[in-house]
Amino acid sequence: MSSEGGGLEAQQELSRLIAQELYEVIPEHADEVRYVVSMFVQYSQSKTLLYQDGEEVGSLSGVGNVKSNARSLREAMYTPQGGTWFSAVFRVFRDGRMKASYNYDEEPVVTDVRGRPRDIMPALYAKDLEVFPRSEKATPAWLAAKVEAGRAQIAQIEADERARRAES
């Protein structure tokens, strides 16, 4: 991305859309819905959880355009110096309040189908940093290491592909 994200108005509108869609799906037996997402340029993982009195009481799948709006919000929140977030939690309450938190600096937790943490292919971090560059100061050590490994991974994939084409 060569310029600043979509600006404050775009961020506010996308946040409003996310909140509205989540608010509309809060069932009677819950007082809060949480949309938890980890997102990269070429990969995302999300879940929508229901809470009552602070305790998880269920989940929902495929809530409207929330994932698409979160992706757009991630783009809108990009800044050339700081990059953009890797994960976020959107909390919407029955009384209409919304709270959101964004993770710009910590390695996001991605899980397998059983909920156990799993590693993300380093090439995804490299591609993400290519699309959403950040200053060196805003690049945590863990991210720099992942990007370095990812670039090596991409170079190997490209070399393998060139070798396959040469053999054909």
Side-chain angles (χ1 to χ4, degrees):
M1 303 218 108
S2 58
S3 63
E4 296 259 347
L8 187 56
E9 286 181 19
Q11 292 174 33
Q12 289 174 333
E13 177 61 13
L14 289 161
S15 293
R16 186 193 67 73
L17 290 170
I18 291 167
Q20 180 179 336
E21 284 197 284
L22 292 173
Y23 181 78
E24 290 172 358
V25 298
I26 300 175
E28 287 292 319
H29 70 281
D31 58 16
E32 176 187 349
V33 61
R34 291 183 194 175
Y35 183 72
V36 180
V37 62
S38 293
M39 194 167 276
F40 304 89
V41 170
Q42 297 178 324
Y43 176 84
S44 65
Q45 181 181 74
S46 63
K47 55 188 170 184
T48 306
L49 304 171
L50 301 171
Y51 285 80
Q52 179 66 41
D53 298 324
E55 298 290 324
E56 186 179 329
V57 295
S59 64
L60 299 171
S61 60
V63 178
N65 293 316
V66 174
K67 186 180 277 190
S68 174
N69 287 329
R71 184 168 299 286
S72 295
L73 180 60
R74 185 174 190 257
E75 293 170 8
M77 292 178 76
Y78 168 75
T79 64
Q81 290 299 308
T84 194
W85 49 269
F86 294 108
S87 57
V89 178
F90 301 92
R91 300 174 64 191
V92 177
F93 301 88
R94 182 168 299 290
D95 65 8
R97 292 177 297 128
M98 176 183 169
K99 293 182 180 181
S101 59
Y102 305 96
N103 167 28
Y104 284 78
D105 301 318
E106 301 297 320
E107 186 172 353
V109 176
V110 177
T111 59
D112 64 17
V113 294
R114 292 192 173 104
R116 296 177 301 213
R118 69 178 186 90
D119 290 332
I120 289 292
M121 191 167 76
L124 291 174
Y125 289 100
K127 183 64 176 173
D128 203 73
L129 193 65
E130 181 182 305
V131 175
F132 297 111
R134 338 169 133 219
S135 69
E136 190 174 317
K137 183 178 178 182
T139 304
W142 69 266
L143 178 57
K146 294 275 188 183
V147 168
E148 184 178 332
R151 288 178 178 152
Q153 196 174 45
I154 291 168
Q156 184 61 55
I157 291 167
E158 289 172 349
D160 292 346
E161 182 60 28
R162 283 191 302 275
R164 272 194 293 278
R165 284 189 203 140
E167 290 174 3
S168 298

